[in-house]
Structures are given as C-alpha cells and as structure tokens.
Amino acid sequence: MENISSLEFLLYVFTANVSRYLIISGSFFVVFYFLIKKRWEHKKLQAKYPKNKDYYREISYSILTLCVFVGMAYIIFKSPLAAYTMRYENITEKGWGYWWISVVAMVFIHDTYFYWTHRAMHHPSLYRYVHLIHHQSRNPSPWAAFAFHPIEAVVEAGIVFVIAFMLPFHGTALLAFLIFMSFYNAYGHLGYELYSKRFLRSALGRWVNTSVAHNHHHEKFLGNYGLYFLFWDRWMGTLREDYDTQFVKVD
C-alpha cells in the first residue's frame, strides 16, 4: 500500500468496501427476499417486508458510510500516522497460529467496542443526532448493515483505529476480520433467523448474538446492544427479558 498513490489507494479501498457490501448484503437479499422467500416465510421475524423506499435509503446511507470508511482508512494507512500502527508485513514474522489468534482477538475487541459505543449512542443526548438514521429501519433488511449517519460511520470505523494501534496485525488478517464483520452484520439485519430453536438452549447459543436479538432491537429500540455475542448484554442486564420468548417463536 505504501507504493501506490493516494488516489489509487482511495479507489482500491472504495472498490473493496463497496464490493464486499454489495456481494454479502446483496447475496443475502437475493436469496432470502426472492429465491427462498416463500419457503422461509416461517423464519421471517416480522411479517411485513420493507418497502422499496426503505431499501433505497439503506443502500444510500450504506454507500455514504463506506465512503467515510475510505477516509478513515486513508488516515490510518496513508497519513503520517501509518508509521505508528502495529501492522507487520510478513506472516512468517509471527506465524499462522498468531494470524488466527489475531483475527479472533479482533472479533472480541470489536464486540466490546461495539456494545459500549452502540449503547452510548442510545443516550437521549446522542440518539437523535447520531443513531436515529440507522433506526429508521425498524424492520431492517440486509441492506441496512451500514446505513449510518456520517457521525456514526466515523464511530463505527473507529474499531480499525483501535485494532491498528493496539494489536499487531497482518493486512490479510484485518481483511478476514472485515469480511466476517460484514457477513455477521448483514445476518443481524437479515430479517430472518438462521439458527434453530435448539441453538438457544445450547451452551454456545446462550452467548452468541442472533438475528432475532438485533431485529428486536430495531423494532423496540432498547436493549440487545451486542454485535457478535451476548456477553455484555447479559453481564450488564441489557438483554431484553423477552429475548427467549421471541426466539422460540421462530419455527
């Protein structure tokens, strides 16, 4: 990345971000809102479907968010700050074992970062100005994955700052994390639940976040603030009391 011009960097990151969004969210949308819509209606979390204007709004704000992400990436990786990141060049420096550990660490760090920033954005003094745009999707589709106000987009992109300056990472590990994040974010806004009822009763299911949890957060606004896990929601008492009953309604 150091050997390419600023313009080439911006175009590369923009293309990568938009492509990832369109492929992941678009695939979920085509499959669940067209190809298997009838067969999976029993898994739909809200009976109604968003309107076309909702899809347009979600896509527009998501593209705007991805533009903000590009600017943040430029600051981290092309500005003088780049010299202070903990990025290393060769995977052999730390080995593949650390590569996988770093990706898992990114997921846990992000879950903590997301929970507390998300919860903060629901404070009355911030919600109207920062988070309201995202909650216009009361019945979200996978296109809503990055439908943020620009200020919220900066906050969301902040996780890359945290990772870049606190965790030794390889560029491909960061990319793997971003792909996983995009996938799970789209699943959280899917409007369908992919896990079975049995999952809720399992040891793992108690701690893993689900589409049910996040969809209900969009519908009711409060509670269920986590992204990948339910650790913080359970520990801080912010998991909605009706979460289990909502989950078991899904066939």
Side-chain angles (χ1 to χ4, degrees):
M1 288 294 180
E2 293 85 355
N3 298 324
I4 65 175
S5 69
S6 295
L7 180 58
E8 289 173 326
F9 176 88
L10 293 171
L11 290 175
Y12 172 82
V13 177
F14 177 78
T15 302
N17 283 350
V18 173
S19 296
R20 187 170 65 248
Y21 168 68
L22 293 178
I23 291 171
I24 295 175
S25 291
S27 295
F28 271 126
F29 184 73
V30 170
V31 170
F32 287 92
Y33 286 69
F34 290 95
L35 299 182
I36 63 172
K37 179 178 178 180
K38 293 295 183 182
R39 281 183 290 154
W40 276 64
E41 278 190 331
H42 62 290
K43 288 279 193 177
K44 186 75 170 64
L45 301 178
Q46 297 186 45
K48 293 183 178 180
Y49 286 82
K51 298 179 180 179
N52 286 339
K53 66 178 183 179
D54 296 313
Y55 300 140
Y56 299 147
R57 184 191 68 253
E58 291 171 349
I59 293 171
S60 297
Y61 273 107
S62 289
I63 298 297
L64 178 59
T65 290
L66 296 174
C67 289
V68 173
F69 285 4
V70 171
M72 298 290 277
Y74 182 88
I75 294 172
I76 298 171
F77 297 113
K78 289 294 286 184
S79 78
L81 283 176
Y84 301 97
T85 68
M86 301 187 73
R87 183 163 65 102
Y88 61 93
E89 295 298 327
N90 298 313
I91 294 177
T92 54
E93 288 182 36
K94 296 184 179 296
W96 281 103
Y98 177 80
W99 188 95
W100 284 105
I101 290 171
S102 70
V103 174
V104 173
M106 291 176 197
V107 172
F108 278 91
I109 292 168
H110 189 202
D111 189 68
T112 297
Y113 177 90
F114 182 88
Y115 175 86
W116 288 105
T117 55
H118 185 195
R119 186 173 175 181
M121 286 186 287
H122 273 268
H123 190 279
S125 63
L126 296 176
Y127 179 84
R128 178 182 176 185
Y129 304 102
V130 179
H131 198 45
L132 177 60
I133 291 296
H134 189 63
H135 270 281
Q136 287 182 351
S137 298
R138 294 196 63 174
N139 183 15
S141 81
W143 294 122
F146 297 102
F148 305 135
H149 185 282
I151 296 176
E152 181 171 2
V154 171
V155 174
E156 298 295 346
I159 185 56
V160 181
F161 269 91
V162 173
I163 290 171
F165 293 101
M166 74 171 289
L167 182 73
F169 71 97
H170 190 269
T172 58
L174 181 62
L175 177 60
F177 160 70
L178 292 174
I179 291 172
F180 176 77
M181 178 270 289
S182 298
F183 178 87
Y184 215 84
N185 202 6
Y187 155 69
H189 295 89
L190 180 59
Y192 289 81
E193 184 51 71
L194 304 185
Y195 292 118
S196 69
K197 290 180 181 180
R198 293 190 299 275
F199 181 74
L200 179 67
R201 303 184 185 95
S202 69
L204 183 62
R206 175 174 172 79
W207 302 106
V208 172
N209 200 17
T210 63
S211 190
V212 167
H214 198 67
N215 188 277
H216 208 206
H217 170 79
H218 271 262
E219 186 179 8
K220 302 298 183 180
F221 296 102
L222 298 176
N224 302 355
Y225 298 113
L227 178 56
Y228 309 114
F229 307 111
L230 298 175
F231 296 122
W232 287 107
D233 275 310
R234 290 194 183 278
W235 292 338
M236 303 308 297
T238 54
L239 185 66
R240 293 187 60 86
E241 293 181 358
D242 51 359
Y243 170 61
D244 286 5
T245 58
Q246 287 294 317
F247 195 98
V248 298
K249 288 180 181 180
V250 181
D251 187 1

